[in-house]
Structures are given as structure tokens and as C-alpha cells.
């Protein structure tokens, strides 16, 4: 297991009225969600761990932060299909600072890296923020796991990518899908 720092997010209290906290994400199909949940649930978690609920399992492509609600249509314009169909294979469990546990691919598929870059160009053209740090695709499966939980490496979990979504992170901690983009 390797350790990588998590991305920081502003607290819910910092959100302004008329604005949405949004991100672009890959959303798992039912089979992939079940496989992610099965791995998560099979781990001997320490007390106090917060498992990511099934309906929140996803892979963030771009986090745009707080945006005016009126810009949702423009944000949806950033949704474009990948250059070619692909699958993501999650093979590694990583424990990040703060006890965040992520499932990650050993290698980023070339189609995903290209698509991530194309989406960044679209966001940049819309004057939206784009993360400056290198892209580290992952699915967060638990939080507050402590510094050294004993976790099993996952069997290769193949995720055929079918859903690109624009998501709002609501003030009550839920995710609301605002738009779904085309994925071949």
C-alpha cells in the first residue's frame, strides 16, 4: 500500500447561496458498484472508520468547486465522450493521509489520460478551474481508517466505463447527479 496525500475540499459551511459545489466523475454501473462494495465490506476496518456509501462510490475526473447554479448548462457543455471506449482496472489499495482509503489502477489507461486532458481543455475554455496537480484516478472506499489498517489488495476489478456525470455535492453531504454525458 502506498501513501498519497488527499485533495482538500472546502467545508460545507463555506458554500454560498445560489452556488453549487460540482465535479465531473465516472459513475460505476451496478456490477462495478457491487464489486467495489464487496471489497470495501470484506476489509477488517478499525473502529471509527467511515465507509463510503454505495451511492457515493465514484471516480472524480475534475473538481470545479463552488460555481453559480446558473452555469450548470455551461458546465454540462464540458461533457464529451471519451476518444475510445475503455475499462479501468483497479488493482491497488492505497492509504492516504488522514486515513482515506482509495482503490487505484496501477496504470492509467491511455484513453482515460487523453480524455481527462480533453475535459480539462473544455473546462479551461469555459474559464472553470482545473486541478494543477497530476491526475491520480481513484475511488475512495473509506475515510478515517487510521494510519495503518491491514487491507487486502483487491483482485483486479475491471470497470467498463459507461457513465460520465456532472455532480453536485450538496450541503447535507449527498451527491446529486445534475447531468449525464455521452460515453460510448
Amino acid at each position: 500500500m502506498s501513501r498519497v496525500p488527499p485533495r482538500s475540499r472546502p467545508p460545507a459551511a463555506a458554500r454560498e447561496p445560489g452556488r453549487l459545489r460540482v465535479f465531473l466523475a465516472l459513475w460505476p454501473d451496478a456490477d462495478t458498484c457491487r464489486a467495489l462494495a464487496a471489497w470495501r465490506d470484506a476489509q477488517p476496518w478499525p473502529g471509527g472508520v467511515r465507509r463510503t456509501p454505495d451511492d457515493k462510490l465514484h471516480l472524480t475526473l475534475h473538481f470545479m468547486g463552488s460555481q453559480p447554479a446558473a452555469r450548470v448548462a455551461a458546465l454540462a457543455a464540458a461533457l464529451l465522450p471519451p476518444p475510445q471506449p475503455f475499462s479501468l482496472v483497479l488493482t491497488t489499495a492505497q492509504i492516504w493521509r488522514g486515513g482515506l482509503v482509495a482503490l487505484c489502477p496501477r496504470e492509467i489507461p491511455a484513453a482515460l489520460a487523453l480524455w481527462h486532458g480533453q475535459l480539462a481543455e473544455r473546462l479551461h475554455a469555459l474559464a472553470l478551474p482545473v486541478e494543477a496537480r497530476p491526475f491520480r484516478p481513484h475511488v475512495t472506499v473509506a475515510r478515517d481508517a487510521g494510519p495503518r489498517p491491514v487491507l487486502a489488495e483487491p483482485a483486479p476489478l475491471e470497470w467498463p466505463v459507461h457513465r460520465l456525470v456532472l455532480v453536485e455535492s450538496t450541503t447535507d453531504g449527498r451527491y446529486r447527479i445534475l447531468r449525464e454525458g455521452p460515453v460510448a
Side-chain angles (χ1 to χ4, degrees):
M1 315 246 176
S2 55
R3 296 192 182 277
V4 181
R7 297 177 183 189
S8 62
R9 303 283 192 246
R15 299 184 199 157
E16 302 170 39
R19 298 181 71 83
L20 305 176
R21 192 167 172 248
V22 294
F23 59 96
L24 288 177
L26 299 180
W27 217 259
D29 58 42
D31 289 340
T32 302
C33 187
R34 277 191 291 277
L36 289 165
W39 182 86
R40 177 202 61 209
D41 294 344
Q43 303 313 302
W45 298 111
V49 72
R50 292 184 301 132
R51 297 176 193 195
T52 302
D54 293 4
D55 64 344
K56 286 184 142 188
L57 293 169
H58 70 279
L59 187 148
T60 300
L61 290 173
H62 290 283
F63 179 75
M64 282 95 58
S66 178
Q67 298 295 321
R71 289 207 69 195
V72 168
L75 295 172
L79 303 178
L80 75 157
Q84 64 190 47
F86 69 94
S87 289
L88 182 64
V89 181
L90 302 171
T91 57
T92 305
Q94 295 182 346
I95 304 165
W96 294 1
R97 190 175 357 167
L100 186 141
V101 178
L103 291 182
C104 309
R106 284 197 204 289
E107 296 180 14
I108 302 173
L112 176 57
L114 177 61
W115 191 28
H116 181 264
Q118 290 171 339
L119 289 166
E121 289 172 10
R122 279 277 187 83
L123 295 172
H124 184 71
L126 292 168
L128 291 166
V130 176
E131 180 68 54
R133 290 179 280 190
F135 179 44
R136 300 194 75 129
H138 67 279
V139 177
T140 300
V141 294
R143 296 178 186 279
D144 300 327
R148 299 191 196 281
V150 177
L151 303 173
E153 284 294 327
L157 191 157
E158 186 170 351
W159 176 350
V161 174
H162 297 295
R163 289 182 79 191
L164 170 65
V165 295
L166 175 63
V167 181
E168 175 192 8
S169 176
T170 65
T171 56
D172 62 3
R174 291 181 295 130
Y175 291 161
R176 182 170 67 107
I177 294 175
L178 301 173
R179 295 281 195 288
E180 198 162 328
V183 176

